[in-house]
Amino acid sequence: MKTLVIAEKPDMGRNIAAAIEPKAKNQRTHIEGEQYIITWAIGHLIGLAEPDAYDEKYKKWNFNDLPIIPERFKLVPNPRTKDQLKVIAELAKRSGLLINACDAGREGQHIFSLIQRHLKLSQPVKRLWISDLTPETIRKGFAELREGAEFEPLTRAARARSEADWLIGMNGSRAFTTKHRELLSVGRVQTPVLALLYDRQKEIEAFTSSKYYEVEAWFTQGETKYRGLWQGDKLTDGEKAAALAAKVKGKTGRIESYDVKDTKEYPFKLYDLTLLQREANAKFGFSAKKTLDLAQALYEKHKAISYPRTNSNYVTEQNIPEMHRALDQLGKTGYAPLVQQADKKLVHKNNKAVCNPARVEDHHAILPTHKMPSGLAPDEQKLYDLIVRRFLSHFYPAAMYKLHTIVTLAEGERFKSTVKQLLSLGWKVIYADQKKEKEKPSRGKGKADREQEEDAVAEEETDAPFTLDAAQAVLCKDSAAKEKETQPPKAYTEGTLLKAMESAGKQIEDEELRDAMKDSGLGTPATRASVIERLKQVGYVVMQGKRIAITPKGRTAVELIRGAGVELLTSPEMTGQWERRLNEIARGAASDETFMKNVERFAALIVEKVRGQKPAAKQAFEGDAPSNAPRQR
């Protein structure tokens, strides 16, 4: 009997066939060779049945029929792809061994598991677990097939995720919709994400803009010129600020303190999917879904990058030779000038910024493969360029700076300056032909950020020599009082929302802490884009340029859910903990049965809480999304 290989999509099936059975015959629905039959799902061939599959009465949405909690979930074929499911069933009859070649992740595992369960396939299973689709990797993966049983915990986690979403979605949506006579979509992940958008909008609306003043002074000593910012209590009086500027102008000052230290800036981390989506949104305005689709095409169709649906920014020791090989291949392309300056010795197993096996679970960071693509669409090329440049940057040394921190005293007034003197571009040469990149991720200004503005420091960057003699006087050549306004928190873009989802809504700037939160983020790298798209589809949010604006329907949904007393459903942190539990189930460290019992209890609680609510007024769901202009004081 032959071995049946089930891939997730036709492209993947064709790639596998070309690598392991190059002379196999293409039969349209499958490819058959001497040893292997390769076929494919077309995404999800099987889904969980609708409520009316359990009882006819559920065809009508009736509050009194809730909660709906099946003893055992029923599976139904997707009517659009049922023919392909029949093909798999027939091919399985001629096979003595199954190979799960669906995407190497939780959803890929789920797709295969549903087919296996629905068709009652009893053959032994092996697992193909690979991170790119080059022929060499596919052949190596087949030489090192893993036992299907090894992935049983991952299957349980995938099943629990699917059934939990069904329980919360079906019961929550039906309860709120029937009570308030408006189609309201509720979800385990989408609702807390909506709550993030709601809370940010409320912050923006509550914010009152106020004026304040900064006093700048320009000092000289010989040929050296630098700018300082006045240090003191926040200035809200324009006349006082102007008087202060006039007081020091043309006067001699002295350097109270002068500190110089060498600093290094290392390359940014390799991409995981969420980081790639965030940067593609900031740089090109791509939606999270568009970036995922482009990355999937680069992986599946062009075989130019490794598996994109990863949450890791690191690689393992085994990836180092592959990275060196990809570097060699890039040297034969338009990236040759950058490759010529690259140093392979910088990417090695002891470089923890790149190689950190403890931080790699299912998949390593997104990398270019040694397969050089041709005929990329313009947007595919843009995304590929992001990935390649990030990859190349790690073969370059750190950028080197001298950081000059100066406190200058003039007429009893203190000014602070920071001058960042570039000594060596290092890895930043990779981006020298592009617009200057922000060194730090942008963030909305919360209360702490606005308070920090009081201690603002004039930071300037220069590649010219900078020298000061702390013992010599300086002259204040010019000064000025500048009127400023405090800024409200920024409305979410898809990029900043993805960042918030990754850390379950916590404003975490520390990268180590943010990495630790990845296991308890909202959704997974593979699902976050679809959650954002869902919020658009159900009319909870609209796009205003790059900004995401919550609609009156979205606002009312959050207020009704919180008003019902099920705040837990809107809690990003709590839902993040559920995601962490699913990750623990996938590692065999937690019970899926316990998790599901808790979800069932919560679904029943939602129904009970909504039962006591008064129906909302129809007009509460109508109107336009608000603008994000701050109020003046």
Side-chain angles (χ1 to χ4, degrees):
M1 296 183 90
K2 294 183 180 181
T3 295
L4 179 63
V5 180
I6 302 176
E8 188 163 323
K9 293 176 186 167
D11 265 358
M12 195 173 183
R14 287 189 280 270
N15 287 328
I16 290 169
I20 62 167
E21 285 268 23
K23 294 180 180 176
K25 290 181 180 176
N26 192 332
Q27 308 285 4
R28 197 176 62 81
T29 57
H30 63 283
I31 300 169
E32 186 161 355
E34 290 183 10
Q35 183 182 351
Y36 297 102
I37 305 170
I38 301 103
T39 191
W40 41 81
I42 306 166
H44 283 269
L45 299 182
I46 313 279
L48 295 179
E50 292 289 316
D52 58 51
Y54 301 93
D55 194 315
E56 278 287 313
K57 69 181 181 182
Y58 294 136
K59 275 189 174 173
K60 287 187 177 177
W61 287 30
N62 186 330
F63 193 97
N64 293 323
D65 289 334
L66 301 176
I68 306 167
I69 300 176
E71 279 187 33
R72 187 173 181 83
F73 282 86
K74 294 181 179 180
L75 303 179
V76 291
N78 181 335
R80 292 197 303 271
T81 54
K82 62 176 191 261
D83 290 344
Q84 185 62 17
L85 187 63
K86 286 178 185 171
V87 168
I88 295 172
E90 289 304 312
L91 294 173
K93 291 174 185 174
R94 301 197 280 125
S95 308
L97 173 69
L98 305 178
I99 294 178
N100 175 3
C102 292
D103 277 358
R106 189 167 79 187
E107 286 311 296
Q109 193 67 19
H110 189 47
I111 286 169
F112 179 86
S113 168
L114 289 173
I115 293 168
Q116 190 184 21
R117 276 167 55 201
H118 182 71
L119 296 180
K120 298 181 172 58
L121 304 179
S122 57
Q123 295 94 327
V125 176
K126 298 277 188 181
R127 184 57 157 115
L128 176 70
W129 193 267
I130 55 176
S131 282
D132 69 61
L133 290 174
T134 58
E136 295 87 341
T137 301
I138 293 169
R139 284 191 285 268
K140 187 171 185 285
F142 268 81
E144 299 169 356
L145 288 170
R146 294 158 73 174
E147 291 298 326
E150 191 183 330
F151 296 89
E152 186 52 36
L154 184 61
T155 301
R156 285 200 295 272
R159 181 173 179 171
R161 193 280 308 156
S162 173
E163 293 176 358
D165 285 348
W166 193 99
L167 285 169
I168 300 299
M170 288 296 178
N171 287 290
S173 299
R174 287 186 177 219
F176 281 101
T177 296
T178 52
K179 173 60 75 170
H180 300 290
R181 301 185 296 275
E182 176 77 20
L183 189 57
L184 295 173
S185 178
V186 172
R188 184 182 64 88
V189 178
Q190 76 171 41
T191 301
V193 173
L194 182 63
L196 284 177
L197 294 162
Y198 174 90
D199 291 339
R200 175 60 59 86
Q201 183 60 36
K202 294 293 277 186
E203 279 184 64
I204 292 168
E205 288 169 2
F207 180 81
T208 304
S209 179
S210 60
K211 288 185 173 64
Y212 68 99
Y213 298 84
E214 279 182 357
V215 176
E216 295 179 319
W218 285 265
F219 298 99
T220 60
Q221 186 189 81
E223 295 298 308
T224 302
K225 185 176 180 181
Y226 64 97
R227 182 173 67 103
L229 274 186
W230 181 76
Q231 301 296 291
D233 292 338
K234 193 168 191 174
L235 291 166
T236 55
D237 184 330
E239 288 183 8
K240 185 178 177 183
L244 205 154
K247 178 182 175 183
V248 296
K249 187 173 183 178
K251 300 297 194 318
T252 300
R254 67 180 178 86
I255 295 173
E256 187 178 59
S257 68
Y258 179 33
D259 180 59
V260 184
K261 64 178 181 181
D262 290 323
T263 64
K264 294 180 179 180
E265 285 187 13
Y266 291 92
F268 298 123
K269 291 188 296 186
L270 291 167
Y271 286 121
D272 62 7
L273 177 59
T274 303
L275 186 56
L276 182 64
Q277 287 170 317
R278 281 168 44 194
E279 296 212 357
N281 179 256
K283 195 162 189 177
F284 309 125
F286 292 172
S287 69
K289 182 180 185 301
K290 179 170 182 173
T291 297
L292 176 56
D293 290 345
L294 291 169
Q296 197 67 24
L298 288 170
Y299 164 67
E300 207 169 279
K301 180 181 170 187
H302 300 288
K303 300 181 274 296
I305 65 168
S306 61
Y307 184 69
R309 297 170 188 241
T310 175
N311 70 344
S312 176
N313 305 98
Y314 303 94
V315 303
T316 67
E317 291 175 27
Q318 289 74 33
N319 302 124
I320 302 295
E322 297 169 25
M323 291 177 75
H324 289 175
R325 185 178 174 195
L327 181 71
D328 289 338
Q329 292 301 107
L330 285 164
K332 301 169 186 173
T333 70
Y335 294 103
L338 296 175
V339 173
Q340 284 160 13
Q341 299 175 62
D343 184 357
K344 281 185 184 175
K345 293 196 290 293
L346 293 173
V347 174
H348 54 82
K349 67 179 183 180
N350 295 318
N351 178 351
K352 292 299 177 191
V354 175
C355 184
N356 193 341
R359 305 283 279 280
V360 180
E361 288 187 13
D362 293 342
H363 296 286
H364 56 71
I366 301 172
L367 302 172
T369 67
H370 61 264
K371 171 93 164 51
M372 296 299 107
S374 59
L376 295 182
D379 287 345
E380 290 174 340
Q381 181 60 50
K382 284 179 181 176
L383 202 69
Y384 182 65
D385 185 66
L386 275 186
I387 294 164
V388 168
R389 286 179 191 259
R390 181 61 58 92
F391 167 81
L392 288 173
S393 70
H394 287 274
F395 290 91
Y396 278 71
M400 308 285 286
Y401 294 90
K402 269 195 189 303
L403 198 63
H404 304 260
T405 307
I406 311 144
V407 176
T408 307
L409 211 58
E411 297 295 298
E413 304 296 342
R414 191 170 277 109
F415 294 81
K416 191 171 184 180
S417 316
T418 303
V419 177
K420 196 175 174 185
Q421 180 191 355
L422 177 67
L423 303 177
S424 168
L425 264 179
W427 62 272
K428 293 189 177 184
V429 74
I430 298 283
Y431 300 97
D433 62 337
Q434 300 184 340
K435 285 182 182 174
K436 191 174 189 305
E437 290 202 325
K438 288 185 178 177
E439 296 301 314
K440 291 178 183 174
S442 59
R443 53 183 169 145
K445 289 181 180 175
K447 185 170 181 284
D449 300 309
R450 292 192 292 276
E451 287 171 353
Q452 267 187 331
E453 288 174 355
E454 295 175 19
D455 303 315
V457 177
E459 179 172 301
E460 293 180 346
E461 240 184 84
T462 180
D463 54 6
F466 185 90
T467 53
L468 270 181
D469 183 348
Q472 299 295 315
V474 296
L475 176 66
C476 179
K477 289 277 284 185
D478 201 3
S479 62
K482 287 193 171 180
E483 185 181 293
K484 301 263 185 170
E485 279 186 12
T486 55
Q487 296 298 309
K490 290 181 179 175
Y492 280 114
T493 64
E494 288 203 25
T496 56
L497 182 60
L498 285 166
K499 177 183 171 185
M501 290 172 76
E502 188 175 47
S503 54
K506 289 189 173 180
Q507 292 303 309
I508 300 171
E509 293 305 319
D510 184 279
E511 285 200 354
E512 291 292 318
L513 273 178
R514 202 159 65 235
D515 276 353
M517 283 293 294
K518 279 187 175 183
D519 266 3
S520 52
L522 294 174
T524 66
T527 61
R528 286 177 190 135
S530 62
V531 170
I532 295 172
E533 290 303 309
R534 176 70 180 159
L535 292 175
K536 296 175 190 174
Q537 288 162 8
V538 298
Y540 286 160
V541 303
V542 292
M543 299 305 297
Q544 292 178 344
K546 276 190 179 182
R547 298 178 308 184
I548 305 173
I550 190 166
T551 64
K553 182 178 179 180
R555 292 175 70 128
T556 301
V558 173
E559 288 164 0
L560 289 173
I561 291 164
R562 285 178 170 164
V566 280
E567 296 90 341
L568 208 58
L569 190 52
T570 64
S571 165
E573 209 167 318
M574 184 53 65
T575 306
Q577 294 304 321
W578 292 1
E579 202 66 53
R580 173 176 283 182
R581 188 71 67 222
L582 288 167
N583 281 305
E584 288 171 355
I585 293 166
R587 293 195 291 269
S591 162
D592 53 318
E593 289 181 10
T594 303
F595 174 79
M596 288 306 299
K597 287 292 176 197
N598 288 333
V599 173
E600 286 172 9
R601 278 196 289 271
F602 187 54
L605 175 70
I606 292 169
V607 173
E608 281 313 300
K609 292 287 189 181
V610 177
R611 196 182 300 278
Q613 270 193 313
K614 288 182 180 176
K618 182 73 177 169
Q619 56 266 34
F621 303 100
E622 297 163 353
D624 297 321
S627 74
N628 293 299
R631 287 182 295 167
Q632 301 297 316
R633 186 159 69 191

